[in-house]
Amino acid sequence: MLPRNTSLRPSPAPLRLALTCAAVVAMLGCASAPPSGGESVVRVLVYNIHAGKDASGEENLERVATLIGETGADLVLLQEVDRGTRRSGGVDQLAELERRTGFHGAFGRTLDYQGGEYGIAVLSRWPIRSDTLIALPVEPRQERAGGSYEPRGALRVTMDVPGPDVGVLNTHLDASGDDHYRRQEVEAVRRIAADLRASHDWTVVGGDFNAEPGTSTIRTMVVDGWRDAWSECGAGDGRTFPAHAPVKRIDYLFLTAGLGCAVARVAETTTSDHRPLLVRLTLTRSRAE
């Protein structure tokens, strides 16, 4: 298990964000009480935050925190998160987001970078019971060398969610034009996800897959029985990248059989260079057969 973070406490900057709670209500509805009976509602946000910079490259971490709050998300899968790097001014970005949102966090380091760490993270409204970063092995070994080549991983997280036992897997796959590495990475993700699925009532797998629908990367997940939330309950084109004029759908949430997908939307915001994917799920209190 990775150590928990210690919150940073800089003075909060004034917050200005075009994406208001009223706008988000139209997409998913802000946080509300779960329905009665045998179901509960979980809102999941999948978001590549671009090391806390907006679509133009300006520092923007406080707006990321505001967006998380305004979506009413219960669970947030983050990619491109910095801890103590020079480009991020030495800030532990997960700790800062924990402080601003009041959520519990887990970080998975995939790379030592600019005097700090770079990786993926999960924020949860509920206490985190365990978190493990699992490396995605590839051949030949990846090294960062001025391009997108770097080691990749999957962050496995379990939480104390009331009712069903929920497992989460967050990942960020290779971004290079050739899918040589992505094909290997997604096979590893598929195996890890299968183990997680076998031991939990419900499981979600998400992140920045850097691959569009219909590619071998995404087919690997769908053929293995994972449901693409957007294909099931999304509206619109679902494009998430680049934020200012999106042309690609590369950010995903995959679901186990029987997990209800109520609605999925992409928020129109340039808070990062990606647009966030918002999914409202329904969880029954008994395990699917």
Side-chain angles (χ1 to χ4, degrees):
M1 185 182 301
L2 299 170
R4 295 283 174 258
N5 300 308
T6 302
S7 296
L8 302 177
R9 298 186 178 275
S11 299
L15 304 179
R16 295 191 304 163
L17 189 63
L19 181 63
T20 64
C21 189
V24 177
V25 167
M27 293 186 293
L28 289 182
C30 286
S32 61
S36 61
E39 290 188 346
S40 57
V41 171
V42 174
R43 295 175 176 85
V44 183
L45 179 69
V46 179
Y47 201 14
N48 183 323
I49 65 169
H50 193 216
K53 300 182 186 302
D54 66 16
S56 64
E58 297 297 321
E59 296 289 342
N60 206 30
L61 193 62
E62 77 283 354
R63 290 178 64 190
V64 172
T66 300
L67 185 150
I68 290 170
E70 290 181 340
T71 62
D74 303 296
L75 179 64
V76 187
L77 281 58
L78 300 171
Q79 302 83 46
E80 291 197 35
V81 181
D82 279 6
R83 294 177 75 179
T85 67
R86 289 190 295 276
R87 70 174 173 183
S88 299
V91 173
D92 182 335
Q93 292 186 334
L94 179 62
E96 178 64 6
L97 290 173
E98 286 180 275
R99 186 186 74 82
R100 289 178 179 272
T101 63
F103 279 23
H104 306 272
F107 179 81
R109 169 208 161 275
T110 58
L111 186 71
D112 290 329
Y113 185 65
Q114 290 191 352
E117 297 176 327
Y118 166 90
I120 52 182
V122 168
L123 286 169
S124 167
R125 187 177 301 279
W126 306 283
I128 291 175
R129 188 164 66 240
S130 67
D131 60 272
T132 306
L133 180 72
I134 305 171
L136 305 180
V138 295
E139 292 291 341
R141 180 180 174 181
Q142 284 182 295
E143 302 287 350
R144 192 173 183 95
S148 65
Y149 297 101
E150 58 194 51
R152 301 287 177 165
L155 182 59
R156 174 175 173 156
V157 175
T158 60
M159 304 153 299
D160 290 328
V161 181
D165 186 20
V166 180
V168 176
L169 195 67
N170 178 27
T171 194
H172 183 191
L173 302 188
D174 181 64
S176 56
D178 188 323
D179 67 354
H180 171 78
Y181 286 112
R182 275 193 301 278
R183 288 198 307 267
Q184 298 178 69
E185 291 164 351
V186 77
E187 283 292 342
V189 168
R190 181 188 63 79
R191 292 190 296 270
I192 298 164
D195 289 342
L196 190 61
R197 179 170 58 187
S199 58
H200 292 79
D201 292 335
W202 305 118
T203 306
V204 296
V205 179
D208 179 355
F209 279 68
N210 273 309
E212 295 187 76
T215 60
S216 61
T217 298
I218 303 307
R219 288 199 306 269
T220 295
M221 294 297 297
V222 176
V223 169
D224 204 39
W226 293 93
R227 295 152 49 219
D228 175 7
W230 184 267
S231 295
E232 183 158 325
C233 66
D237 56 30
R239 295 169 183 165
T240 56
F241 183 83
H244 65 283
V247 297
K248 297 180 179 181
R249 180 161 82 90
I250 60 176
D251 301 276
Y252 295 85
L253 188 69
F254 295 100
L255 315 173
T256 47
L259 182 58
C261 185
V263 61
R265 297 288 187 273
V266 171
E268 296 185 8
T269 173
T270 56
T271 302
S272 167
D273 66 345
H274 285 239
R275 289 181 175 185
L277 170 64
L278 302 159
V279 183
R280 189 175 73 217
L281 304 175
T282 56
L283 288 74
T284 63
R285 297 191 181 279
S286 61
R287 185 168 182 154
E289 296 300 329

